[in-house]
Amino acid sequence: MSVPILSMVFMALAALFCFAMPVLLLIYYKRKGADVLPFFVGCAVFVIFALILESLMHQLVLKVLPVGKTILGNTLLYALYGGLAAGVFEETGRFLAFKTVLKKKLGNDRNALMYGAGHGGIEAILIVGLTYIGNIVISVLINAGQTDMLMATATGEVAEQMQAVFDSLIATAPWTYLLAIVERIVAITTHICLSVLVWFAVKKPGKGWLFPLAILLHAALDGILVILAAHLPAAAVEGCLVVMTLGLMFLARAVWKRNAEV
């Protein structure tokens, strides 16, 4: 058994997109008058609050505490827990960034968009771009009959996980990898919209309620996706995600029109 060549081609296209889109957004928003700093602050906040702090909490709650088995064994509980964790950590990261590092940049509302591009862009690069590059390398080794080399030092659970990766790469339909492009477009758009909400929660007196709203919307989006993924095919899940993101765009656009000074 081997990984279809088309799978590797589509993974490469998706990875290229995930690296290119953040750069293109950086250039675009810079030309529109935004500062560069918010982009890289957005990158840093995602790494610190999502990849490090949130991941540490998941290690504690899901793998150390007894309640972890209960959460992992119940889709609804897992959706609620995962959604709230993502919402609280990432939106708090945004809030603190706007309150501190970017405090002097609040005069330029386009910086909210630039921040969102950085936050969502680095997520695309790290979560999808680098993963797909690694998958391509593994796929080449599978097709060359070199899996024994990869499994040489793997034992127990690690070996089982690696074999699961091999099986998935061989069995997954090639077109499925293109869904990552749609999913990342939607994810980056979501991060930009949520950044707009938190931006004005920080900047505008009386708009503080937009911060908890951003947390709840983020939690709802992630939680609903977990539930949908357990019952629907990938393409249907992405379709639902697009619809939900359009609703978030409508809200963020309304907030922008009422509060932005551009």
Side-chain angles (χ1 to χ4, degrees), residues 140-233:
V140 170
L141 292 174
I142 290 173
N143 290 356
Q146 299 296 316
T147 54
D148 289 343
M149 180 183 69
L150 294 173
M151 298 286 283
T153 58
T155 58
E157 185 178 347
V158 174
E160 292 178 3
Q161 291 175 347
M162 291 183 67
Q163 187 60 53
V165 171
F166 299 160
D167 295 341
S168 176
L169 289 171
I170 292 170
T172 300
W175 65 269
T176 305
Y177 295 108
L178 292 178
L179 290 177
I181 295 177
V182 177
E183 192 266 340
R184 282 301 113 188
I185 291 174
V186 170
I188 292 176
T189 301
T190 297
H191 282 300
I192 293 174
C193 291
L194 292 171
S195 297
V196 168
L197 299 185
V198 179
W199 181 268
F200 290 116
V202 171
K203 180 177 179 178
K204 293 289 185 177
K207 299 293 183 180
W209 57 271
L210 288 171
F211 172 52
L213 177 63
I215 292 176
L216 291 175
L217 289 173
H218 193 148
L221 282 171
D222 283 15
I224 290 171
L225 285 179
V226 170
I227 295 172
L228 291 177
H231 299 91
L232 297 175

Side-chain angles (χ1 to χ4, degrees), residues 2-15 132-133 135-137 139-140 143 167-178:
S2 62
V3 179
I5 297 299
L6 198 56
S7 290
M8 289 187 277
V9 171
F10 287 166
M11 280 190 279
L13 289 175
Y132 275 16
I133 290 174
N135 284 347
I136 292 170
V137 173
S139 297
V140 170
N143 290 356
D167 295 341
S168 176
L169 289 171
I170 292 170
T172 300
W175 65 269
T176 305
Y177 295 108
L178 292 178

Side-chain angles (χ1 to χ4, degrees), residues 10-248:
F10 287 166
M11 280 190 279
L13 289 175
L16 177 61
F17 176 85
C18 288
F19 279 92
M21 188 176 181
V23 175
L24 294 175
L25 286 174
L26 171 63
I27 295 171
Y28 175 76
Y29 286 133
K30 180 67 176 67
R31 289 181 176 178
K32 288 294 183 178
D35 298 303
V36 172
L37 178 62
F39 181 91
F40 293 102
V41 172
C43 294
V45 166
F46 176 78
V47 172
I48 294 170
F49 282 82
L51 295 189
I52 298 177
L53 297 180
E54 186 183 343
S55 294
L56 286 174
M57 190 187 77
H58 290 330
Q59 289 292 322
L60 173 63
V61 174
L62 299 179
K63 295 188 177 181
V64 177
L65 297 180
V67 72
K69 291 183 179 180
T70 302
I71 294 173
L72 290 173
N74 186 298
T75 301
L76 186 58
L77 284 178
Y78 183 70
L80 180 62
Y81 164 78
L84 282 174
V88 169
F89 276 94
E90 292 189 54
E91 302 317 313
T92 299
R94 275 186 243 273
F95 185 86
L96 293 177
F98 298 161
K99 277 283 192 180
T100 57
V101 183
L102 297 177
K103 185 176 181 179
K104 294 182 178 180
K105 300 294 183 180
L106 292 177
N108 184 353
D109 290 330
R110 290 187 179 89
N111 287 335
L113 309 177
M114 181 67 95
Y115 172 93
H119 191 122
I122 196 65
E123 180 183 45
I125 290 171
L126 298 178
I127 303 300
V128 178
L130 294 181
T131 298
Y132 275 16
I133 290 174
N135 284 347
I136 292 170
V137 173
I138 294 173
S139 297
V140 170
L141 292 174
I142 290 173
N143 290 356
Q146 299 296 316
T147 54
D148 289 343
M149 180 183 69
L150 294 173
M151 298 286 283
T153 58
T155 58
E157 185 178 347
V158 174
E160 292 178 3
Q161 291 175 347
M162 291 183 67
Q163 187 60 53
V165 171
F166 299 160
D167 295 341
S168 176
L169 289 171
I170 292 170
T172 300
W175 65 269
T176 305
Y177 295 108
L178 292 178
L179 290 177
I181 295 177
V182 177
E183 192 266 340
R184 282 301 113 188
I185 291 174
V186 170
I188 292 176
T189 301
T190 297
H191 282 300
I192 293 174
C193 291
L194 292 171
S195 297
V196 168
L197 299 185
V198 179
W199 181 268
F200 290 116
V202 171
K203 180 177 179 178
K204 293 289 185 177
K207 299 293 183 180
W209 57 271
L210 288 171
F211 172 52
L213 177 63
I215 292 176
L216 291 175
L217 289 173
H218 193 148
L221 282 171
D222 283 15
I224 290 171
L225 285 179
V226 170
I227 295 172
L228 291 177
H231 299 91
L232 297 175
V237 173
E238 293 302 328
C240 293
L241 180 59
V242 169
V243 172
M244 290 188 290
T245 302
L246 288 174
L248 180 59

